[in-house]
Structure formats: C-alpha cells, structure tokens
Amino acid sequence: MEVISLSQKQLDSLTRLSLPHEVTNTEGEIYILDHGRNKYSNDNLLLKKLYITCGSSMANKLYNVSLLGDNKDEIGVDELVIPKHLVAIKRQISAFTIPNIEGVNLGTLLHNPKIPNQEKIEYLYKIGKLLKRTKKLKIQNLPFHFGDLHEYNFLLGKDGKTYAVDLDSCYLNTSNPQPSYYLTVNKNLSCFPTKYKANTDGIIYPNYNTDLLCYNMIILNTIGRDKISSFDMSTYYEYTNYLKSLGFGKDIIHCFHNIYSSAKNVNPCEYLDQIPEDKIGEAGAKIFKLKKEKGLI
C-alpha cells in the first residue's frame, strides 16, 4: 500500500470535514485532502488522522487498512469504501486516506421523522443486501466482518448506492477486535457466550452473527424511534411480541427473536415487506411503554 508524507504545516492547511452533529467521531479528525493543490492523487480523497498512534489499537488499524488497500481489486465490492494510502506525518504513520463519497449519512436519514417510512425501509434493505454480498468475503483467506456496524457508518451516495465507511474498524480475524456500538452497550449478549464470544476486556469477537445482530438493531431502532438495543431481554421480547400484534410478519419477528437465542441469526432484509407501513406509527417505543403502563398489552 502506497505511503504519502505530509508535514505538520501541510496538515494544518487542510480543511476539516464537517460532520452532522449527530455523528460521533471518537477515533480521529477527518480532513479534505486537496488533490488539486497537493497532487497526492487524481482522486477526491479524505484524510483520517488518528488520535491514538501507538499500541495494539493502532497496530490493528494499520493491519486492517493495509490488507483492505492491498486487496481492493480482489475484494470487488464497490460499496465498501476502502482506504487508499497510508499517511506519514512528521515521518510517523498516523493517518490514511479514503475516497470522499458525496452523499448523506444514512443514520441521519433513518432518524429523520420527516423521511417517509417506505423510503427508510428501502435504505434498510440496501444495508441487508450489502451484508449478503460480504457474507462469504475473504481477504487473503481471512473472513471479513464489519464489527462496528451501525447506521452512521453508511452513506447514501448521490448515485443511489449505499456505501459502508469506517472500515478501519472491521474485523479480519485478529486477536484485538475493535469496540462496537451495538455490541459493547448490549449486556444481553453475555447470556450467549458460545454465540457472542468476548475477550477478557468484554469486547465481542465479531462474526456474521454479530453483523446481523447489529443490522437487526438498526431496523428495530428505526422502527421504534428509540434505543431498542438498550432493552433488557424481557422487555425486548415484550416489544417484539407487541410488533407481532400490530401485524408484523412471522418471518421478520423470527429474525428479531433469533438474536437472543443460540440459533444462528438470519438476515431480515428479504422480510422487510412484512413491516406494515400503516402501523409503524404505533410501533414507537414510547407508545409501547405507555400501553404497557396502562395494562393494554
């Protein structure tokens, strides 16, 4: 993978990328790399400057970035926004470049109450289709898993495609998995240690089951307009059974139930048409809790 060099002065001259206020970036600063002036590449690129530039976390990211970049042609999935260069700043590799995809953050769209529900379901479907494409993806015989899969790590491009970003946090069978939003905040996973294996720090080792768990939570949080992922297991099953009573189909309810069982998780994208659009308003977590308090369910 090609390495390009920047001085501190060159880095300071770059413009920081403005992110939506709801998008949290805790790993580093993102800059627009002006290829016209600096001539690093003919492509439109961003530069991600990492905050932590030493230790196992940095080593793991460099490993992921290098593997992805060196095998881009073999990977062959255009919707994966793969890093292009490693970047040395003051002779220390502490950043990398990625293609600058023009579009809108998918998390922003999914949580916007003004976006029609049918449009949101179409976005959710595109995530599921991308997961199907990457299910059997291997990079130098290492299985690929997103790991930190959540709605804010996707962009809806101007070309209509759904792109996965922040792939430096993916999992390629290393000993140090990266923390993942839907896996580290979910205490229910400890009930299934053979399905969701954790290291000594409690960080889950990603696999296809975890990717599908995160995808299910993206769907549920969109439908419920709340953090269904924070529900304890009892409340979670009460909520999904409530969805069933609203007319949600048995197949998608089965996908929701599977994530807290020892069975393999199922990709629900083909069952999104079992979500009754006219009942999504009643599917909100606040309405569910209110009905529960009144003894209506």
Side-chain angles (χ1 to χ4, degrees):
M1 192 174 187
E2 183 182 355
V3 179
I4 60 175
S5 297
L6 271 73
S7 66
Q8 186 63 49
K9 183 177 180 180
Q10 287 173 314
L11 178 66
D12 293 340
S13 72
L14 300 179
T15 302
R16 289 187 181 180
L17 180 71
S18 296
L19 296 173
H21 69 87
E22 65 271 17
V23 179
T24 302
N25 180 25
T26 60
E27 295 183 333
E29 296 288 352
I30 300 178
Y31 299 85
I32 299 170
L33 193 61
D34 188 343
H35 61 278
R37 180 176 60 190
N38 295 315
K39 298 181 181 179
Y40 297 115
S41 170
N42 292 324
D43 299 324
N44 184 13
L45 299 175
L46 299 175
L47 181 145
K48 183 173 181 178
K49 171 69 170 65
L50 298 169
Y51 293 134
I52 299 175
T53 58
C54 61
S56 60
S57 176
M58 179 62 174
N60 193 60
K61 284 190 177 294
L62 291 180
Y63 176 81
N64 286 348
V65 167
S66 298
L67 269 183
L68 291 168
D70 290 341
N71 294 277
K72 182 180 185 300
D73 293 337
E74 288 73 17
I75 293 170
V77 181
D78 292 340
E79 291 84 355
L80 297 180
V81 182
I82 294 175
K84 189 173 180 65
H85 311 92
L86 293 173
V87 180
I89 300 171
K90 295 192 296 185
R91 298 183 180 181
Q92 179 185 15
I93 293 177
S94 56
F96 55 89
T97 69
I98 50 177
N100 185 5
I101 304 297
E102 295 186 20
V104 183
N105 190 280
L106 203 58
T108 301
L109 295 172
L110 291 175
H111 296 299
N112 184 345
K114 296 181 181 180
I115 301 294
N117 291 324
Q118 188 55 47
E119 192 173 322
K120 292 181 181 180
I121 290 173
E122 290 175 5
Y123 300 148
L124 293 169
Y125 178 76
K126 289 182 178 182
I127 296 176
K129 292 294 286 185
L130 181 56
L131 281 173
K132 281 194 169 186
R133 292 185 65 188
T134 59
K135 179 179 181 180
K136 296 182 179 180
L137 178 62
K138 290 191 175 183
I139 302 171
Q140 293 189 1
N141 293 321
L142 297 174
F144 168 91
H145 302 298
F146 285 96
D148 190 17
L149 191 153
H150 57 81
E151 54 268 48
Y152 293 106
N153 274 349
F154 291 92
L155 294 175
L156 180 68
K158 288 187 174 181
D159 57 3
K161 291 183 178 179
T162 297
Y163 292 91
V165 298
D166 204 24
L167 295 182
D168 52 296
S169 296
C170 73
Y171 185 69
L172 293 167
N173 205 34
T174 61
S175 59
N176 294 300
Q178 298 293 306
S180 168
Y181 176 76
Y182 282 120
L183 303 181
T184 53
V185 300
N186 195 331
K187 297 179 181 179
N188 297 328
L189 301 185
S190 60
C191 297
F192 307 97
T194 59
K195 185 176 181 179
Y196 305 117
K197 297 179 180 179
N199 65 12
T200 54
D201 295 323
I203 298 175
I204 302 291
Y205 286 97
N207 54 43
Y208 194 59
N209 276 321
T210 64
D211 282 348
L212 290 182
L213 178 144
C214 295
Y215 177 43
N216 275 275
M217 287 305 179
I218 292 172
I219 295 170
L220 285 165
N221 286 355
T222 300
I223 293 168
R225 302 183 297 279
D226 202 347
K227 294 183 179 180
I228 310 302
S229 52
S230 67
F231 283 6
D232 61 67
M233 203 177 303
S234 176
T235 305
Y236 175 84
Y237 273 100
E238 288 178 342
Y239 176 71
T240 52
N241 285 327
Y242 170 66
L243 296 181
K244 186 178 180 180
S245 74
L246 293 178
F248 282 62
K250 65 177 183 179
D251 296 309
I252 195 163
I253 294 296
H254 175 72
C255 294
F256 295 157
H257 283 177
N258 257 28
I259 65 173
Y260 293 145
S261 77
S262 297
K264 289 184 178 180
N265 291 344
V266 178
N267 190 326
C269 76
E270 301 297 342
Y271 307 126
L272 291 174
D273 60 352
Q274 294 184 7
I275 297 175
E277 188 178 347
D278 61 335
K279 294 292 185 179
I280 290 182
E282 293 183 58
K286 290 182 179 179
I287 295 176
F288 158 72
K289 291 175 181 177
L290 183 62
K291 286 185 175 181
K292 184 180 175 183
E293 288 174 1
K294 292 184 176 182
L296 299 177
I297 55 175

